[in-house]
């Protein structure tokens, strides 16, 4: 899930929005009070993307405690998977109607292997090569120079990196104890093939982030044995066996077994580097290059997340994930939440595009794998067959459909959403599932530029309008905390 897909996000200061007065023009534009601009669900009605599954998964897989507590309230006050249930209530918002946004640009893949020339800098041409059509994935050799790569690494080291993995707090078990959902309902959500039995692969497919660690068939069987959940030891739970199991025993077991770094979902360190006005000139140049590459509006690119720089040491990995989460009426995008002023239980990353840069050559391993790229069909359960989990980047990277070898200066980029047919964001592209293969020798450095777009066109427009107003008015609220990185704007490094 996206909520855990990319580690902690930088937090912006929280501006205070002036009271909003009703404006007939805003109502006509779909920006009025209450439900004038509902959020359209971004997943087809399938098991893995159903609202009921999503809501239970947010608790069952140990995501952020804030989300857990919000979910408990949501489950307590709502029922079932009825998509007609009332959405979140909108509170007062900033003044003035938001402008109409132009359609999002999207490069055509043509066919795998297709190459086209593009000019991103004044003194040279770059070539874009299509790597896959599902997801729409491209590669650009030489996007960054060797000197730029070394500078980005140096700036990240000056800033300081932190461990990327997030583990749950001790309050989690207490929160789980108050979850209002029956064993039967939970069993039916986990039982994907509806045969009345929970196979290991069904549990693995939906409990992928247990307690911050990556769950394997061996882990599940060890846990079953420890909490006496599977008396006959066949690795399959009947409804009766599942009902007899106390989920609190599961969480106590997980807490009592400290995970090694190799057992985590993600084993890396990262930091964020500011790229806005006043940033180091190389950071500004990279952002402007991304702007020309994506052909998106400057407002969208400039208001997106700063550059994330990641270091994977020997033994580092990141199991397969998607960079964006589905958006339901119960969720809101992280980047627009400050202006949306909506009471919703969940927050997710809304990343229209991912632009990934390789900052060094890796001695061994470290490829970026797309396990199901260009598959004819996609099925969540097909990712786990005969004890082979295609999402496991430590053991099964070689079985993925597409692997991209890290080459210093090369960029790869892809779209995390399908188009909606109206020039905006559609469903999450399941084929964008990707991960970082095990680094077997040396160190791997990468950087990510995520381009944030809210699936609600009206909310994205309001966000851009309010950010423009803050920039005009100035003041502390107009500058996020990442602006502290401006201290490095005059840094000179021996390259």
């Amino acid at each position: 899930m996206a909520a855990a897909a990319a580690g902690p996000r930088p937090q912006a200061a929280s501006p205070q929005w002036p009271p909003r007065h009703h404006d007939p023009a805003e109502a006509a534009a779909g920006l009025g009070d209450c439900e004038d601009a509902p959020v359209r669900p971004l997943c087809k009605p399938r098991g893995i993307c159903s609202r009921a599954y999503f809501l239970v998964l947010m608790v069952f897989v140990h995501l952020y405690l804030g989300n857990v507590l919000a979910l408990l309230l949501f489950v307590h006050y709502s029922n079932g998977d009825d998509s007609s249930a009332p959405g979140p209530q909108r509170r007062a918002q900033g003044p003035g109607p938001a402008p109409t946004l132009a359609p999002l640009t999207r490069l055509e893949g043509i066919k795998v292997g297709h190459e086209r020339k593009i000019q991103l800098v004044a003194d040279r041409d770059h070539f874009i090569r299509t790597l896959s059509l599902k997801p729409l994935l491209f590669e650009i050799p030489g996007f960054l120079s060797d000197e730029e790569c070394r500078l980005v690494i140096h700036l990240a080291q000056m800033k300081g990196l932190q461990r990327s993995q997030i583990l749950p707090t001790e309050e989690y078990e207490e929160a789980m104890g108050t979850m209002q959902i029956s064993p039967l309902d939970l069993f039916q959500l986990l039982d994907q093939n509806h045969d009345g039995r929970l196979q290991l692969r069904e549990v693995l497919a939906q409990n992928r982030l247990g307690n911050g660690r990556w769950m394997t068939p061996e882990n599940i069987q060890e846990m079953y044995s420890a909490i006496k959940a599977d008396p006959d030891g066949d690795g399959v739970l009947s409804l009766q066996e599942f009902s007899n199991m106390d989920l609190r025993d599961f969480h106590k077991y997980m807490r009592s077994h400290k995970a090694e770094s190799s057992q985590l979902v993600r084993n890396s360190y990262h930091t964020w580097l500011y790229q806005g006005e006043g940033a180091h000139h190389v950071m500004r140049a990279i952002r402007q290059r991304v702007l020309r590459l994506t052909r998106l509006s400057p407002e969208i690119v400039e208001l997106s997340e700063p550059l994330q720089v990641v270091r994977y040491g020997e033994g580092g990995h990141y199991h397969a994930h998607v960079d964006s989460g589905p958006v339901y009426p119960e969720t809101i995008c992280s980047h627009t939440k400050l202006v949306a002023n909506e009471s919703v239980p969940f927050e997710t990353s809304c990343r229209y595009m991912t632009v990934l840069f390789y900052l060094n050559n890796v001695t061994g391993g470290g490829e970026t794998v797309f396990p199901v790229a260009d598959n004819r069909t996609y099925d969540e359960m097909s990712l786990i067959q005969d004890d082979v989990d295609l999402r496991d980047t430590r053991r099964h990277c070689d079985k993925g459909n597409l692997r991209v070898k890290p080459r210093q200066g090369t960029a790869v980029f892809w779209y995390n959403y399908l188009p909606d047919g109206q020039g905006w964001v559609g469903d999450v592209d399941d084929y964008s599932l990707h991960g970082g293969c095990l680094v077997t020798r040396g160190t791997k450095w990468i950087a990510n530029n995520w381009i944030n777009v809210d699936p609600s066109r009206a909310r994205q427009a309001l966000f851009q309008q309010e950010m423009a107003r803050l920039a005009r008015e100035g003041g502390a609220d107009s500058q996020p905390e990442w602006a502290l990185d401006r201290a490095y704007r005059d840094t000179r490094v021996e390259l």
Side-chain angles (χ1 to χ4, degrees):
M1 301 287 294
R9 293 170 49 88
Q11 298 296 315
S14 300
Q16 300 298 314
W17 308 112
R20 184 182 182 189
H21 303 288
H22 177 73
D23 187 336
E26 283 185 285
L31 295 171
D33 296 333
C34 298
E35 297 180 351
D36 290 339
V39 178
R40 174 178 48 77
L42 288 188
C43 263
K44 297 177 277 295
R46 300 175 299 191
I48 194 64
C49 281
S50 69
R51 286 174 60 203
Y53 168 74
F54 171 75
L55 296 173
V56 172
L57 188 66
M58 294 293 283
V59 163
F60 199 67
V61 302
H62 296 70
L63 296 185
Y64 305 110
L65 179 66
N67 281 344
V68 171
L69 296 177
L71 173 59
L72 299 178
L73 295 174
F74 177 81
V75 171
H76 181 70
Y77 288 111
S78 59
N79 240 332
D81 190 20
D82 184 2
S83 55
S84 64
Q89 296 299 309
R90 180 169 298 200
R91 300 199 298 267
Q93 298 189 15
T100 301
L101 298 183
L104 297 171
T105 56
R106 187 179 180 92
L107 274 67
E108 293 292 334
I110 311 298
K111 64 178 181 179
V112 174
H114 176 77
E115 290 191 356
R116 75 197 76 185
K117 184 168 65 174
I118 185 173
Q119 190 167 40
L120 300 173
V121 294
D123 57 347
R124 62 166 296 189
D125 292 328
H126 287 85
F127 289 88
I128 302 177
R129 181 171 180 263
T130 302
L131 296 184
S132 78
L133 300 179
K134 297 190 304 182
L136 198 50
L137 169 68
F138 304 91
E139 180 182 52
I140 311 177
F143 187 93
L144 300 179
S145 68
D146 293 352
E147 291 78 10
E148 288 171 329
C149 290
R150 288 196 289 269
L151 177 75
V152 172
I153 291 174
H154 187 81
L155 292 178
Q157 291 171 326
M158 290 178 65
K159 176 82 180 291
L161 292 87
Q162 61 181 332
R163 180 173 285 280
S164 304
Q165 182 70 36
I166 297 178
L167 296 175
T169 63
E170 293 186 358
E171 290 88 346
Y172 178 79
E173 182 184 334
E174 181 180 349
M176 280 298 304
T178 64
M179 185 175 71
Q180 301 297 312
I181 184 169
S182 72
L184 176 60
D185 289 338
L186 185 54
F187 183 89
Q188 290 176 339
L189 288 168
L190 297 173
D191 184 15
Q192 286 288 291
N193 61 7
H194 307 296
D195 66 350
R197 293 155 56 85
L198 284 186
Q199 283 83 19
L200 283 174
R201 67 191 188 104
E202 289 177 310
V203 177
L204 287 170
Q206 302 171 44
N207 190 25
R208 70 190 69 179
L209 305 178
N211 203 31
R213 71 179 72 192
W214 184 256
M215 303 301 290
T216 66
E218 295 81 9
N219 296 149
I220 297 292
Q221 289 179 310
E222 288 173 7
M223 178 192 68
Y224 283 173
S225 176
I227 66 176
K228 299 178 172 57
D230 182 22
D232 53 15
D234 63 354
V236 178
L237 298 185
S238 65
L239 175 58
Q240 184 61 50
E241 290 172 334
F242 185 83
S243 299
N244 292 338
M245 182 176 66
D246 189 336
L247 286 181
R248 286 173 296 186
D249 291 338
F250 161 74
H251 299 301
K252 288 177 182 177
Y253 172 83
M254 298 299 288
R255 286 181 57 192
S256 66
H257 289 71
K258 183 178 179 181
E260 301 294 331
S261 59
S262 62
Q263 298 173 311
L264 298 176
V265 172
R266 181 180 188 181
N267 181 18
S268 65
Y269 291 82
H270 76 275
T271 193
W272 302 88
L273 297 179
Y274 176 69
Q275 292 181 282
E277 294 294 336
H280 189 282
H281 68 93
V282 169
M283 303 303 296
R284 289 296 297 157
I286 293 173
R287 170 149 281 181
Q288 293 303 309
R289 215 171 297 165
V290 168
L291 176 61
R292 288 190 287 272
L293 170 67
T294 62
R295 304 177 189 172
L296 294 167
S297 72
E299 292 80 11
I300 285 178
V301 175
E302 290 287 1
L303 293 174
S304 291
E305 296 171 65
L307 187 74
Q308 186 194 56
V309 183
V310 187
R311 184 189 77 229
Y312 295 88
E314 192 165 306
H317 70 277
Y318 194 171
H319 290 305
H321 60 282
V322 292
D323 284 345
S324 288
V327 177
Y328 298 112
E330 297 83 25
T331 66
I332 196 166
C333 298
S334 301
H335 75 286
T336 56
K337 66 177 181 178
L338 294 179
V339 299
N341 286 329
E342 294 177 356
S343 299
V344 295
F346 308 120
E347 175 186 331
T348 190
S349 298
C350 300
R351 293 161 170 166
Y352 176 60
M353 294 180 66
T354 298
V355 186
L356 184 154
F357 313 103
Y358 297 111
L359 301 179
N360 73 322
N361 296 310
V362 183
T363 306
E367 300 91 346
T368 303
V369 63
F370 293 80
V372 293
D374 284 330
N375 259 17
R376 292 183 62 184
T377 59
Y378 176 87
D379 176 18
E380 179 83 7
M381 294 306 299
S382 68
L383 293 171
I384 307 172
Q385 297 287 345
D386 300 324
D387 292 331
V388 174
D389 188 344
L390 292 178
R391 303 163 308 165
D392 189 330
T393 60
R394 292 187 67 86
R395 299 197 289 184
H396 303 303
C397 253
D398 60 324
K399 299 177 179 66
N401 285 359
L402 175 64
R403 296 187 302 279
V404 183
K405 183 177 177 59
R407 291 185 175 88
Q408 187 177 45
T410 293
V412 292
F413 69 98
W414 63 90
Y415 296 87
N416 295 303
Y417 293 99
L418 300 169
D420 69 347
Q422 301 176 20
W424 206 248
V425 172
D427 293 337
V428 172
D429 189 347
D430 295 322
Y431 293 91
S432 67
L433 183 75
H434 65 284
C437 297
L438 177 69
V439 177
T440 57
R441 291 183 60 195
T443 301
K444 170 185 172 184
W445 285 89
I446 65 168
N448 294 299
N449 257 153
W450 285 298
I451 309 301
N452 302 115
V453 176
D454 195 311
S456 167
R457 202 166 187 166
R459 197 159 57 203
Q460 179 72 27
L462 180 62
F463 166 70
Q464 293 180 197
Q465 179 192 50
E466 290 298 303
M467 291 298 101
R469 181 181 68 80
L470 284 176
R472 289 193 303 270
E473 295 177 0
D477 286 342
S478 68
Q479 298 299 333
E481 293 178 5
W482 339 303
L484 295 176
D485 290 345
R486 291 182 177 185
Y488 304 135
R489 66 180 181 270
D490 297 322
T491 298
R492 293 294 179 266
V493 182
E494 294 298 326
L495 299 174

